[in-house]
Amino acid sequence: MTTFSPIHVIGGGLAGSEAAWQIAEAGVPVVLHEMRPIRMTDAHKTDGLAELVCSNSFRSDEWETNAVGLLHAEMRRMGSLILAAGDLHKLPAGGALAVDRDGFSAEVTERLAAHPLVTIAREEVAGLPPADWDSVIVATGPLTSPALSEAVRALTGEGELAFFDAIAPVMHLDSIDQTIVWRQSRYDKAGPGGTGADYLNCPMSKEEYEAFIDALLAGEKTSFKEWEASTPYFDGCLPVEVMAERGRDTLRFGPMKPVGLTDPRTGRRPYAVVQLRQDNAHGTLWNMVGFQTKLKHGEQARVFRMIPGLAEAEFARLGGLHRNTFLNSPKLLDGALRLKAAPWLRFAGQITGVEGYVESAAIGLLAGRFAAAERKGESLRPPPPTTALGALLSHITGGHLLDAGSASFQPMNINYGLLPPLETAPVAGAEGRKLKGKERGTEKKRLMSRRALSDLDAWLAQAAHASPVMAGLDPAIRGQTR
């Protein structure tokens, strides 16, 4: 039996954990380096692998008409540890895949610790890795240590970009006024583990909404250091007060939109709604959906208690703000996620310029497979750009157009706009009826999703011909793990 030298993965978040799993499942030993609890971060609270620090939702699980749901489906086909753990610890959340934070992290940690080819090293890797590590995946996420950030910057001669994102508050269920809020998913939609009544809804009249916006705009915010002042926000994770500054109705057409909801007390749709989503398996904690914030803690409690149903809310965690860093990946990385200036270094996760837990894990999955194939002397082509995985990879490694003389690359969630268009746009449905308006868009997404899974299956079949292990989970190894 061939003995391979280990691949090193730095960072035990979602991307690093997924990369390590994929490497080990391919029959290659891996050392997963995680600095917690030796050194903690401002955002993490535990030493568990794949700890969720921002939201417990992996967003939509509907693979036919939602791009992130399609990414879920593709990752499941490829034996994703993150999706497997998420499915085991899912919580009711309408059409979304939400997970119990603690159970999810414990599952990932336990599976990796039990794998015979995985070694977990609790240590910080400061600066560039040692010279005798000939294959390394850096998956240190948005909170990469200053020493490693500086080492990469010096190696490439390219400064990193940065942006801010924010954390939403979490409150205790028994402090929420159940005579005001009601349980309902938007359009009564039931998703994985859900019933169609998975959210708590806090209704607002026009007067209540206007007063809330006034308080939100006037509330005292976290101040920036001078060097942070020009750092932009990522649009997918904007603080609510920043959205409010863009227009008084912005929130009412964003996280506070009332569509698909009916207040049982009035029988009508409210003017605006704040939704709460279950945050743990016991259902005792609920988070404010889309309510990332940079308000100071005292202001958060005051302003958010203006929301009907939350007048007596007790917060288990208030919101916060942190600065994220990511590489100018189209310029610095090749199509296999290797640093052009030092090909023995790969990058994965948010540091590559993808945004979102699922997207980070997806890039970790690909980085792990690329590294394992290279170690085994095999060739692994990237997945087709018609797949969600391939489209995301293509975007961060060259699909994004850089403006001449400037770095315009910004974090990106998976979306259908990253996939190549259909050769022929749909004009009629399966029954032959002509499609109109939104129907045409929905059918287009459905056809693109079906094309994606078909092309992924063909790609996996080719990979299986080249290396049975790389096509999916190796039964011999799987039998030794939980």
Side-chain angles (χ1 to χ4, degrees), residues 12-61:
L14 274 74
S17 296
E18 185 67 70
W21 181 260
Q22 294 293 328
I23 292 166
E25 288 286 84
V28 177
V30 58
V31 181
L32 178 58
H33 302 265
E34 170 52 52
M35 68 180 185
R36 293 175 292 123
I38 306 302
R39 178 175 175 181
M40 297 299 289
T41 74
D42 293 335
H44 291 88
K45 303 300 180 186
T46 77
D47 63 357
L49 300 177
E51 180 188 346
L52 303 177
V53 299
C54 181
S55 167
N56 66 339
S57 174
F58 288 173
R59 313 195 315 277
S60 176
D61 201 52

Side-chain angles (χ1 to χ4, degrees), residues 450-472:
R450 291 174 179 172
R451 178 187 66 177
L453 293 186
S454 175
D455 289 355
L456 182 72
D457 287 342
W459 177 74
L460 286 172
Q462 290 177 344
H465 180 73
S467 172
V469 175
M470 292 306 297

